[in-house]
Amino acid sequence: MWKRVLSFLGFVFLSFVVIASADGRVHKNAYATMMYMGTPRDYEFYVATRVMLRSLRNLKVDADLVVIASMDVPPRWVQALEEEDGAKVVKVENIKNPYSDQSEFDWRFKLTLNKLYAWKLVNYDRVVMLDADNLFLHKTDELFQCGQFCAVFINPCIFHTGLFVLQPSMAVFNDMMHELEIGRSNPDGADQGFLTSYFPTLLDSPQFNAPPTNGTKLDGIYRLPLGYQMDASYYYLKLRWNVPCGPNSVITFPGASWLKPWYWWSWPVLPLGIDWHKERLKTLGYGPEIPIVVIQAMFYLGIMAVARLARPNLSKLCYRREDKSVFFIQTGFKLIAIWSILAAYVVPLLFIPYTIHPVIGWSLYFLGALSLCFVAVNAFLLPMLPVLVPWFGFLGALMVMAYPWYSDGVVRALSVFGYAFCSSPFLYVAFVRIMSSLQVSLEREGFLPRLGESASPSGFSKLY
């Protein structure tokens, strides 16, 4: 009986804790981000969001972690965000984008206006709204003492909406919805253009240099120092951070969408991306991708073994033709051989998990390219070394880009250019050697009949 009583009291206590933590009053402030579905890169941004949330949790920030998620976010993702990452998920309906009919509208930003829901989080005094491509180096809780709206100018005239501070307000949110209805000017049709239009005086506002020592919150609109959201492009000129203003606390990666730091191919093209993967290794890990990598590696090793052991005798696949037909067969055969070599270097890119660690991703790519090159070499009787010249060229290019002791980014760029210039003759010689080898193979009796030979005896059409 006592066990039942204790169990009941424990259940009551647990229910009380859950209710208390769910009412939004555990912390007065929040770090928030958004998640929606409808792009080819939904999973990648889901992973990036989880890494950012865990990095904030590891910094022991004094705030709730909130994810503004559209209704169509998969339940298993919501469960992982809540149970594994400690976030509070707020489900919302997508805000209809009234600017989608604009010319040159980028459909990647169709649902980014969901970011405006941050103003509805009225249970909090201040909210730091974030994009998933932010990497926190230090704790930034002092931002909660900033004014009603604060943002960073990483562009001289336009502030960036990948990180900003706001004071939630239903009045402001309703006014924003009204502005959307009447068609407020928005140059890019996304949250960036709308918010820069809605807060046009931010450039002339005072800068938030330091929080009040007494812990109070400022009133008004403030510019944040650049160090609160350092554009990664500033890093590459000197290959180190050279941002004199601000605490240098947050890195953002607002560049080309396919060079975001979580994509394995972005390093060492953009070396700073490895810092993001170090954070993922410490927090989320690579559990979902590892089984796929192992299966692919075993598959490529199997291809190499089969291609070597089952070297086909292609001469038995060819038939005698008239002279004109032989010309077309030879031309088509050469095209197929060249395309097979190109495919050997392209196909592995399509199957590697996008968010795997760069070292694993590039290793798997080179293994896949090598195995498919084996197939081309054995299928078309080609010399191995010319076919593998691009393989060695790509490997060398990565080593040149990843070299860690360049004095600055200009030297690095010149080194990469010089390597490409010096490598081009080797690629040309390899191409000539491959074409020459194909021509020799085509002229062999065992592969295609030489032009002008007498026809085969009656009743025989296949060469032996």
Side-chain angles (χ1 to χ4, degrees):
M1 179 176 178
W2 282 107
K3 289 184 178 181
R4 292 182 180 181
V5 172
L6 290 174
S7 297
F8 175 75
L9 292 175
F11 175 77
V12 172
F13 175 75
L14 179 62
S15 300
F16 175 80
V17 170
V18 171
I19 292 172
S21 63
D23 66 359
R25 303 306 302 174
V26 175
H27 294 101
K28 295 182 178 181
N29 306 300
Y31 289 95
T33 187
M34 67 173 176
M35 183 180 296
Y36 53 82
M37 308 299 292
T39 73
R41 300 178 295 146
D42 290 338
Y43 176 76
E44 291 90 312
F45 277 92
Y46 160 69
V47 172
T49 299
R50 295 193 64 188
V51 171
M52 182 179 68
L53 292 175
R54 291 204 178 193
S55 68
L56 286 168
R57 190 177 68 180
N58 287 350
L59 290 172
K60 295 180 171 54
V61 295
D62 185 20
D64 282 343
L65 306 178
V66 177
V67 178
I68 300 171
S70 60
M71 292 294 184
D72 51 358
V73 171
R76 66 182 185 279
W77 291 8
V78 173
Q79 183 178 5
L81 291 167
E82 291 178 334
E83 297 180 2
E84 300 178 28
D85 303 328
K88 296 184 177 182
V89 178
V90 178
K91 302 299 287 288
V92 297
E93 294 287 348
N94 290 325
I95 295 177
K96 179 178 173 56
N97 193 317
Y99 308 103
S100 57
D101 295 332
Q102 290 183 175
S103 60
E104 301 181 358
F105 177 77
D106 193 334
W107 287 92
R108 292 182 299 144
F109 305 134
K110 181 180 179 180
L111 299 178
T112 57
L113 291 176
N114 285 3
K115 192 176 291 186
L116 304 183
Y117 277 118
W119 272 270
K120 290 191 71 174
L121 302 176
V122 293
N123 288 334
Y124 301 104
D125 293 340
R126 293 288 191 274
V127 172
V128 176
M129 189 66 195
L130 303 164
D131 283 348
D133 58 353
N134 285 306
L135 179 62
F136 281 75
L137 305 179
H138 305 290
K139 191 174 179 180
T140 58
D141 286 355
E142 68 273 8
L143 289 175
F144 296 122
Q145 293 179 249
C146 195
Q148 277 74 28
F149 185 80
C150 311
V152 178
F153 281 84
I154 60 176
N155 178 296
C157 300
I158 302 174
F159 64 84
H160 191 249
T161 58
L163 181 152
F164 58 88
V165 186
L166 66 106
Q167 179 180 358
S169 166
M170 284 303 301
V172 174
F173 175 79
N174 292 332
D175 185 62
M176 287 179 168
M177 295 301 100
H178 174 70
E179 293 294 326
L180 288 177
E181 291 178 1
I182 64 175
R184 170 183 279 273
S185 175
N186 186 344
D188 62 8
D191 63 292
Q192 176 80 53
F194 179 81
L195 289 175
T196 53
S197 174
Y198 195 85
F199 295 99
T201 63
L202 185 63
L203 183 60
D204 300 321
S205 301
Q207 182 166 285
F208 177 77
N209 293 315
T213 56
N214 58 3
T216 60
K217 293 178 172 59
L218 298 173
D219 289 324
I221 296 177
Y222 288 84
R223 289 180 293 113
L224 294 177
L226 182 60
Y228 277 111
Q229 194 183 24
M230 301 173 290
D231 187 340
S233 59
Y234 286 103
Y235 175 85
Y236 294 108
L237 183 61
K238 297 291 185 180
L239 291 182
R240 63 180 183 275
W241 289 115
N242 189 29
V243 182
C245 58
N248 293 2
S249 295
V250 188
I251 304 172
T252 188
F253 300 86
S257 59
W258 288 105
L259 286 176
K260 294 293 186 182
W262 46 83
Y263 293 122
W264 62 266
W265 57 79
S266 67
W267 182 87
V269 179
L270 299 177
L272 193 60
I274 200 68
D275 290 347
W276 186 92
H277 282 279
K278 289 178 181 178
E279 190 64 37
R280 176 174 180 178
L281 191 61
K282 290 190 303 182
T283 56
L284 191 62
Y286 295 88
E289 291 93 344
I290 292 299
I292 302 174
V293 169
V294 172
I295 292 171
Q296 287 191 31
M298 298 300 294
F299 176 74
Y300 288 138
L301 292 173
I303 286 179
M304 294 174 68
V306 171
R308 189 67 188 92
L309 295 175
R311 185 182 179 97
N313 185 359
L314 295 183
S315 63
K316 294 184 178 182
L317 302 178
C318 302
Y319 295 82
R320 184 181 300 277
R321 296 287 186 272
E322 297 297 330
D323 292 359
K324 185 175 180 181
S325 299
V326 168
F327 170 78
F328 286 112
I329 291 175
Q330 291 181 345
T331 303
F333 181 81
K334 291 179 181 179
L335 289 175
I336 292 173
I338 296 300
W339 276 107
S340 68
I341 296 172
L342 291 175
Y345 290 101
V346 174
V347 169
L349 293 170
L350 307 178
F351 299 100
I352 300 173
Y354 288 172
T355 55
I356 194 64
H357 193 281
V359 174
I360 299 176
W362 281 112
S363 300
L364 187 59
Y365 168 75
F366 282 114
L367 177 62
L370 182 63
S371 67
L372 296 182
C373 283
F374 262 67
V375 174
V377 166
N378 288 282
F380 297 98
L381 311 178
L382 297 173
M384 177 69 73
L385 186 58
V387 174
L388 291 182
V389 164
W391 192 92
F392 287 108
F394 291 152
L395 180 60
L398 293 181
M399 294 177 67
V400 170
M401 287 188 284
Y403 181 74
W405 294 292
Y406 290 116
S407 58
D408 56 52
V410 175
V411 174
R412 176 178 181 266
L414 290 175
S415 300
V416 174
F417 176 79
Y419 174 83
F421 180 79
C422 295
S423 300
S424 55
F426 293 95
L427 291 174
Y428 175 76
V429 171
F431 178 77
V432 172
R433 182 74 178 84
I434 291 171
M435 297 304 295
S436 175
S437 178
L438 286 172
Q439 186 62 37
V440 170
S441 297
L442 286 167
E443 292 175 354
R444 290 176 180 170
E445 287 185 355
F447 190 80
L448 276 178
R450 292 180 180 176
L451 300 180
E453 280 190 346
S454 58
S456 298
S458 176
F460 294 88
S461 60
K462 186 164 64 176
L463 298 177
Y464 291 91

